[in-house]
Amino acid sequence: MTSKFSSIPMMLAATAAAFAPHAGRMPVWVLIWCAAAWGWGLLIWKQKTGWPPRWGLNLLAFAGFIGALASFGFAFDRTAGVTILSVMLSLKPLEARTYRDRMITVFLVYFLILSNLLFSNALPMFFYMLGSVALTTMLLVRIQDPEGKSGRHAALAGGTVLLALPVMALFFFLFPRIPGGIFRLTETTTARTGFTQEMSPGSVSRLVLSRDIAFRVELAQAQVPPGKRYWRGVVYSDFDGRNWQSLPQPPAALSPEPGVETVVQQIELEPHRQRWLFALDLPFDVSTAAVAHADYTFKAPEPIKERIRYRALSAMQRPARTPAPEEAARYLRIPAAGNPDARDLAARWQKESRSPAEIVERALAFFGRQEFVYSLTPPLLGDDPIDEFLFQSRKGFCEHYASAFAFLMRAAGLPSRIVGGYLGGETNPFGGYLIVRQSDAHAWAEVRLPERGWVRIDPTAVVAPERAEGGTEAAVPPEERMSRYPFSEMPLIGDAARNLLLGLDAANTFWNRRIMGYTAGAQRRLLSRLGLSADSWKEPAAAFCAALLLISAAGALLVLLPRPSLGKKPDSVQRSYLKLCAKLAKAGVVRRPDQGPCDLIEEVRRLRPDLALLVSPAIERYVRLRYGPGPTAAERSRFIDEVRRLSL
Amino acid sequence: MNRNALFEQVVEQAGTVVLGKDRQVRLCLTCLFARGHLLIEDLPGIGKTTLAKVLSRSLGLEFRRVQFTSDMLPGDILGTSVFDQTSASFVFHPGPIFTQVLLADEINRATPKTQSALLEAMEERQVTVEGETRPLSAPFFVIATQNPLEQHGTFPLPESQLDRFLMRIRLGYPDREAEETLLREGRIERKLSCVDRCLTPDDVLRIQQQIDEVHLSEAVLAYVQDLIAFTRESKHFAVGLSPRAGLALLRAARAWAFLHGREFLIPEDVQQIMPWVVAHRLRSREDLRELPAERLALLMQRVPIP
């Protein structure tokens, strides 16, 4: 087989590997096009068909170019560009008759691999691209050495990629970074779950079904016990008899009371397409562009579509600030009619109690006394949802409890509101941070008491105290737990799977923070830590060149220095004999390097007479094979087999 | 290891006369069948002559002994032409070298001139006297002895001459048991006359040919080369082994393998004969003297078998 053919399979494999991550973005006809072109390439390789004529290829190339453009409505964007590249590249192996064409193919494949960066910078993609680059390098080696062995090619290509890694790291850390990055990725994912403007019964319990990550937090965990990890996001203040609404509010300046204990958190918020920023209850400052409101919520200026990182400051105690009268009226508003039983109950509490605090106590006692059940699948509620829930079904999720409680409080004349956010979170032992998922979504109530200001009241905690400590999984009744959390009854598998996922999450988080988060500013800080001035280009450039020179010199030394010769590679018989010697060594008979096989038999007879009969036939066979004239292949494989089966 | 029956028979017979020296007997036989010459370095009265006699008798070879002295001339060994009056011409009278086994006793007593005459004959297996070249008998085997202690009035063999001996052995005193038997029984001469011929000279020649065909594998060749390279590279030796020494090593190892009933060489063959083949060819770097046997063995253990 001539060099013209021998590199075709490798070329197709490298192209396919480079193409694979793009496959999902391409029109279907491109996939068929590529598969057909590769199939043709294989036929040429098998010499079942000839090379296509030049004019035919030109025609195909033109048709593919127009087709790719047409598929995207003649609008040229990155996907269209990659599609055109893929269509053209798929034709390239069909004309790789000359060395020059093969080399062009290699560099086009490298380019197609690089184009992945226009779409993704996730950690797994990095490893995939590295593998793809190694495969393409193997193709490059094969083109230079068409008759060589694939194993040697793979070793050479892998070694080359490994040698390039230090250079890659150098470029990454020291090459001047452009603020904002070259590839400004826009998040193309759709339909993220999260809190919305409106909270209706069932909206939080839908959230809870999702294992998606809401945000990750680094904080001094000892400062905040698990039961106290209320993450505040939205405040719902308007009730229409069924749903709670969050209404626009004017900005306000927030500051903690002097002398109050504060907690700092580093929060990495996943995009949720809303403007809420989450932070530990009660936040008063965040380090990103946001508007603060009097109800201690923060809103970003735009819906959050990319992962953002910010620092939040929270106070562990609440200020006893009295709201203005018009503010108080807003938190007392309830519809004029509906839910008569609940209103009666509230009116009775109001009459019988001497202080607002007593009303709250009575209400909590009511939830504690009656047979309320925490459930992710509450029954549908009718026209008077609060009445039905309080006196009939008594089965609900946190938003039912918070909603009913806030309604009761308003009916009893106490200003109240609902806070939406998350409760708890899972500590990732690999990364030392807290993962808060959608399944930790929670809603609780706040009541304003005259002397103490807004007080957090969580009626769910009365019904299902295990929710605060152990998360939703612990709080749902056993019959529901089985269907929702199939692993909860199998601790071993569950733990292994959980640890694997947590480890992956830690790796991903590290990647996003340290590698993707290595911005121009971070580079500046690194340079100044290395003692280089980042103000002029001269010092970093000199350092860069010096490091590049050093790495190149080290690489050249590694490649060019003669390696200590290990002598002739032992053949299969010798390898088996060495295995046999290793087995004997384990059995207590250690062969000296200068000890011949016949002496070894004597040694076995002396030290382990019990083994002599077992091993001497094999060793004698080895002697014949290695030193005797004309050993046969059968004899050789018999010896190898003998050694393999020998157990001492 | 099954051993060649004939060989065992010879060893056994020699054992009845030269008591407790089996190893030396085996080495002598190896040397002989490898077409080499043997140097025995030992004190008088140890049994060198007896050993030579019993070997030549067992193998059915013709035996002669020459006592070397300082007034000896080459002609005393090689032979001279004497004028025969009846035929009115010079007639060559062959010297003692025209035999199959020659015991050259105390070779270091002779002058270098005489020594070299013998040694050249040993190497070339022919003698040129007065312009006429005469082949020596085949097989031809020289056992030379040397007294290492008495140095007064001797001409020690130079290294270049030592190289011509395939092996050099020492007999040493017999152990107590063997000596007891020896002292009790005495009468070595009578026992010697009881030794049977096991082989004919033709058998010896045939065996010598067969030994040349003993198979040498790549692995053993590599091992021998490693050994030679070690002596040349090691800092313990003044000079390494010569190519002739390498040939000698292989020749002796082949004979050893054959005499032990094998048709191919194994590394152990080389190891077994090596001390006797190389010890007299190597000099220590520090004092240019021979290395003690134990030290040589330790050094050689550093070469792994490939």
Side-chain angles (χ1 to χ4, degrees), chain A residues 472-495:
Chain A
T472 329
E473 187 176 336
V476 294
E479 64 272 14
E480 272 182 49
R481 197 178 302 160
M482 215 32 225
S483 60
R484 298 251 177 256
Y485 306 99
F487 289 131
S488 62
E489 300 296 316
M490 293 177 275
L492 270 181
I493 302 176
D495 281 356

Side-chain angles (χ1 to χ4, degrees), chain B residues 136-149:
Chain B
L136 296 177
S137 58
F140 174 62
F141 180 49
V142 175
I143 302 176
T145 72
Q146 200 170 218
N147 186 340
L149 285 186

Side-chain angles (χ1 to χ4, degrees), chain A residues 568 574 591-600 602 622-624 626-630, chain B residues 1 215 217-220 223 263-268 271-272 300-301 303-306:
Chain A
K568 270 187 196 159
Q574 184 65 1
R591 185 181 78 105
R592 293 191 320 272
D594 72 310
Q595 197 168 28
C598 294
D599 279 355
L600 186 63
E602 296 299 322
Y622 164 76
V623 170
R624 279 198 301 281
R626 184 145 176 89
Y627 304 114
Chain B
M1 243 189 272
H215 177 75
S217 60
E218 293 284 324
V220 174
Y223 180 53
E263 280 163 356
F264 52 88
L265 277 177
I266 60 172
E268 282 93 332
Q271 289 174 347
Q272 291 286 334
M300 288 307 178
Q301 273 181 12
V303 182
I305 292 173

Side-chain angles (χ1 to χ4, degrees), chain A residues 91-320:
Chain A
L91 296 177
K92 200 68 198 166
L94 304 184
E95 60 163 12
R97 264 177 287 195
T98 64
Y99 175 77
R100 181 174 169 277
D101 278 322
R102 288 192 285 274
M103 290 304 284
I104 290 176
T105 313
V106 169
F107 288 102
L108 283 178
V109 174
Y110 279 131
F111 191 67
L112 187 61
I113 296 170
L114 193 68
S115 68
N116 270 319
L117 289 179
L118 294 170
F119 299 92
S120 168
N121 54 16
L123 177 60
M125 184 51 79
F126 169 73
F127 286 109
Y128 184 86
M129 285 170 65
L130 214 56
S132 200
V133 164
L135 193 68
T136 312
T137 310
M138 200 174 147
L139 167 64
L140 188 59
V141 178
R142 182 146 191 90
I143 289 172
Q144 314 301 325
D145 174 26
E147 306 300 325
K149 289 220 175 78
S150 296
R152 283 188 56 83
H153 291 171
L156 185 55
T160 310
V161 172
L162 282 184
L163 275 177
L165 284 182
V167 182
M168 182 190 84
L170 178 71
F171 269 87
F172 179 80
F173 285 112
L174 289 189
F175 197 80
R177 297 190 84 77
I178 298 160
I182 311 170
F183 308 112
R184 191 93 193 129
L185 296 182
T186 49
E187 197 70 46
T188 44
T189 46
T190 51
R192 288 272 180 176
T193 50
F195 282 91
T196 53
Q197 203 72 22
E198 188 179 82
M199 192 188 81
S200 55
S203 61
V204 177
S205 50
R206 267 199 304 282
L207 272 186
V208 162
L209 300 182
S210 158
R211 291 284 292 167
D212 284 352
I213 288 170
F215 51 90
R216 297 177 179 83
V217 194
E218 282 174 78
L219 87 160
Q221 296 189 19
Q223 239 176 322
V224 191
K228 289 262 168 26
R229 289 173 191 164
Y230 282 86
W231 307 99
R232 190 184 188 92
V234 205
V235 166
Y236 299 102
S237 53
D238 255 54
F239 186 56
D240 64 359
R242 184 168 195 87
N243 301 329
W244 290 84
Q245 296 275 347
S246 168
L247 294 182
Q249 289 188 75
L254 304 177
S255 62
E257 305 261 295
V260 160
E261 187 194 0
T262 58
V263 178
V264 183
Q265 315 125 64
Q266 284 286 350
I267 296 181
E268 197 178 276
L269 185 62
E270 294 289 325
H272 58 83
R273 312 205 147 248
Q274 299 288 337
R275 290 169 54 197
W276 329 116
L277 296 175
F278 293 85
L280 200 61
D281 202 23
L282 198 62
F284 57 85
D285 192 22
V286 293
S287 69
T288 181
V291 185
H293 298 295
D295 57 5
Y296 291 90
T297 56
F298 290 85
K299 269 182 165 177
E302 293 289 322
I304 294 158
K305 288 180 182 162
E306 282 177 26
R307 187 181 296 121
I308 58 165
R309 258 175 86 74
Y310 54 89
R311 206 159 47 90
L313 264 176
S314 301
M316 294 307 285
Q317 282 142 30
R318 304 168 158 262

